[in-house]
Amino acid sequence: MSHTIREKAKLLARVRRLKGQMEAVERALEAESPCGEVLQLLASIRGALSGLTGEVIEDHLHEHVLHAEDEKARAKATDELAEVLRTYIR
């Protein structure tokens, strides 16, 4: 069973919190809140998303690289992670 399935409830809870934070930005913009408040909300979202991303990457490393079934699976997981990191760094 994949780590994203095993940790599904926890990961979905984090995604739902992120959605709530995005809705808070929308409400702040609709209410014409000061830009400082909007920036603080955006910084919180970025931190939460980075935390979620880091958790999934760490679990991916442990399950699909460190404990891979064989070298072919390890190479595939490594390539997947490298591609994600290239996109993430841009």
Side-chain angles (χ1 to χ4, degrees), residues 17-73:
R17 281 193 298 276
L18 277 163
K19 284 170 47 176
Q21 289 175 304
M22 288 298 294
E23 290 167 355
V25 171
E26 182 178 15
R27 287 190 303 272
L29 291 171
E30 289 288 342
E32 299 179 0
S33 297
C35 61
E37 289 178 24
V38 174
L39 287 168
Q40 186 60 48
L41 290 168
L42 292 169
S44 296
I45 292 167
R46 182 174 184 204
L49 183 57
S50 292
L52 175 60
T53 302
E55 181 176 339
V56 175
I57 286 172
E58 182 178 350
D59 290 346
H60 179 86
L61 281 168
H62 283 282
E63 182 163 324
H64 301 291
V65 177
L66 185 61
H67 301 293
E69 294 176 15
D70 53 38
E71 277 306 309
K72 183 177 179 182

